[in-house]
Amino acid sequence: MDKRHIALRDIFFNVFQRHGLKKYDSVPLITKDKTVYFTCATITPLKDFILNDNLAVDGLYIHQPCLRLNSLTDNFDEKNVPSFPGYFNMLGTFIKVKDILPFQKSIIECFQLLGVSKDTVKIYAPSSKVDLVSYLREVYTVEFDSKKDSYYKWKYGLGNDINGVGATFSLRQKDGHFEDIGQYVCIFNKNEPIACEFGFGIETFLSRYLQYDNYYEAYSIAPVLKKNNLESNFINVNTFGITAGAYSTGINLDNCPNKGYKKILNRILANIVILKKKESILDEQIASILYEFGEIEFTNTSFVPSLLYDINIKSEELLLSLQRLADFEENQSRLKISAQDIIDREKVLYPFAIKYRDILG
């Protein structure tokens, strides 16, 4: 983690420690939770406590590296840029519902110590089920029921009886509009409130609080990219972040836990090969970025050699796929098959090669 992230994390930890919560160690990005491939939120390692009535402390707090792959397929679609790249860090807390009022007070103290002015905060909350913001609304502006119902609903992969209803914190930006930074969620079991969670992404908070014109600057990969003469845009930050995050777990093409992980790694590697060709990135730049980012973010670079090897393997595979596509087109033309039939067959046989032919060719 870079210095900005560490400073923010330490303030968060100190506040909730003083309020009686106990530190819970982060878990690996490859998780035992069978509902996801990678740890994707602070609640992932804390799910076991949702139904545990014997939580011996007032609550838990955690810093958790996360990996979400929802942007993986459309990584190069600049018209559909998500709110955050796939690899990021989260700070989170978890308490039993009986402690909801002091919990709200500790949230307020946390934001105060982080330097967030109360008049820059807006909370979007539902007015149904439970009063999520009883104390918070004495300090912050609360806007009720202004979003779609789905905005306030949360799922945990623990069956239909377990669900959450959340309020979202947002910060006012320079132009006056508000950007979401984190959630405060009440968890229900058969419509009975049992627990609460609160947290936010470190990079998301920093980008909103410091009001970066380019929110990717809040990610620790950004200065590494700049040092290696690459722009810190979404595509670069997302591609390198996801690639390094996945390989930092120790998996590679030769030792994937199952076919699902292998499919994901192949897509991740394809993305970085495409980026390499698209931006004319040298092998030396890729190696430098991965080693520097590995040291900053994971204090570990042992995964880099196997990653660089797999990038080369994937590059050869994609080039071979392009050659096969070219051979296929030539053979179909010799057989005097109609152009439309050739296109239709290409879409079935070589969809990936067709989509990125202009870049990889």
Side-chain angles (χ1 to χ4, degrees):
M1 296 174 67
D2 69 25
K3 293 178 180 178
R4 299 169 299 173
H5 298 181
I6 293 170
L8 173 54
R9 181 198 62 188
D10 289 349
I11 291 172
F12 187 94
F13 278 10
N14 289 338
V15 169
F16 289 101
Q17 184 181 49
R18 287 201 310 273
H19 283 267
L21 278 66
K22 182 179 179 182
K23 184 176 183 292
Y24 193 81
D25 290 334
S26 62
V27 301
L29 282 170
I30 291 184
T31 172
K32 64 179 182 179
D33 185 345
K34 301 302 181 184
T35 66
V36 291
Y37 278 107
F38 293 97
T39 301
C40 58
T42 54
I43 197 61
T44 304
L46 302 180
K47 279 186 183 181
D48 290 345
F49 294 99
I50 290 179
L51 297 177
N52 180 1
D53 293 327
N54 298 314
L55 186 62
V57 295
D58 292 335
L60 302 166
Y61 63 89
I62 185 174
H63 159 238
Q64 179 61 53
C66 297
L67 192 60
R68 293 182 188 172
L69 303 177
N70 55 313
S71 62
L72 197 58
T73 302
D74 299 321
N75 189 63
F76 295 91
D77 181 5
E78 296 183 8
K79 296 179 181 178
N80 187 31
V81 174
S83 298
F84 50 82
Y87 176 81
F88 57 99
N89 292 271
M90 282 194 74
L91 297 172
T93 53
F94 177 88
I95 63 156
K96 289 300 181 179
V97 76
K98 65 181 178 64
D99 300 317
I100 192 169
L101 187 57
F103 188 51
Q104 290 185 25
K105 292 180 178 178
S106 63
I107 291 172
I108 292 169
E109 182 183 339
C110 179
F111 280 126
Q112 288 174 337
L113 291 175
L114 287 171
V116 177
S117 174
K118 64 181 181 181
D119 61 345
T120 64
V121 175
K122 181 184 286 187
I123 300 174
Y124 298 100
S127 57
S128 60
K129 268 203 172 186
V130 67
D131 186 0
L132 289 175
V133 292
S134 53
Y135 187 77
L136 292 170
R137 61 180 171 175
E138 294 182 15
V139 178
Y140 302 126
T141 298
V142 177
E143 194 172 288
F144 288 104
D145 301 320
S146 62
K147 305 284 187 178
K148 294 180 180 179
D149 285 347
S150 58
Y151 181 84
Y152 308 109
K153 294 179 179 178
W154 295 79
K155 297 292 185 181
Y156 294 94
L158 293 172
N160 294 330
D161 290 338
I162 306 295
N163 57 77
V165 176
T168 299
F169 285 80
S170 61
L171 283 182
R172 188 175 66 232
Q173 302 300 289
K174 285 181 280 190
D175 62 1
H177 84 286
F178 285 81
E179 288 282 357
D180 294 353
I181 56 167
Q183 284 77 36
Y184 163 50
V185 185
C186 186
I187 304 169
F188 292 82
N189 182 11
K190 296 180 180 178
N191 296 318
E192 289 294 322
I194 57 172
C196 292
E197 59 160 320
F198 162 73
F200 52 81
I202 290 178
E203 294 89 348
T204 298
F205 175 85
L206 281 173
S207 67
R208 299 335 188 211
Y209 175 63
L210 298 176
Q211 303 205 19
Y212 289 128
D213 292 329
N214 176 354
Y215 80 82
Y216 318 118
E217 299 296 336
Y219 289 77
S220 55
I221 186 72
V224 177
L225 292 170
K226 285 186 175 181
K227 185 177 178 182
N228 287 274
N229 302 313
L230 288 180
E231 183 185 351
S232 57
N233 57 27
F234 170 77
I235 292 174
N236 292 343
V237 169
N238 198 46
T239 304
F240 277 101
I242 287 179
T243 303
Y247 270 76
S248 72
T249 63
I251 61 173
N252 55 52
L253 288 181
D254 289 334
N255 69 353
C256 283
N258 55 51
K259 291 181 179 179
Y261 280 100
K262 191 152 193 171
K263 183 177 180 180
I264 290 170
L265 284 197
N266 273 305
R267 178 69 228 201
I268 288 171
L269 291 166
N271 276 356
I272 203 161
V273 171
I274 292 165
L275 179 63
K276 176 185 172 184
K277 294 286 288 184
K278 184 175 183 290
E279 301 295 334
S280 300
I281 305 172
L282 302 175
D283 290 340
E284 294 81 3
Q285 284 177 290
I286 290 180
S288 176
I289 290 167
L290 292 172
Y291 275 112
E292 289 181 49
F293 183 52
E295 188 61 45
I296 292 170
E297 192 66 28
F298 313 109
T299 61
N300 172 30
T301 60
S302 62
F303 65 90
V304 177
S306 65
L307 172 50
L308 294 173
Y309 176 81
D310 283 354
I311 290 171
N312 287 330
I313 294 296
K314 179 52 62 176
S315 181
E316 292 173 4
E317 286 181 4
L318 293 180
L319 291 174
L320 180 60
S321 178
L322 287 175
Q323 184 58 55
R324 286 174 176 168
L325 172 60
D327 293 343
F328 170 80
E329 290 174 334
E330 184 178 348
N331 290 336
Q332 298 299 290
S333 297
R334 285 176 179 172
L335 293 171
K336 301 189 181 331
I337 294 174
S338 73
Q340 187 57 51
D341 284 343
I342 293 175
I343 292 171
D344 290 342
R345 294 182 188 184
E346 284 177 340
K347 287 179 179 177
V348 174
L349 296 171
Y350 303 101
F352 191 90
I354 292 170
K355 186 173 184 179
Y356 298 108
R357 172 161 42 187
D358 291 343
I359 299 173
L360 292 170

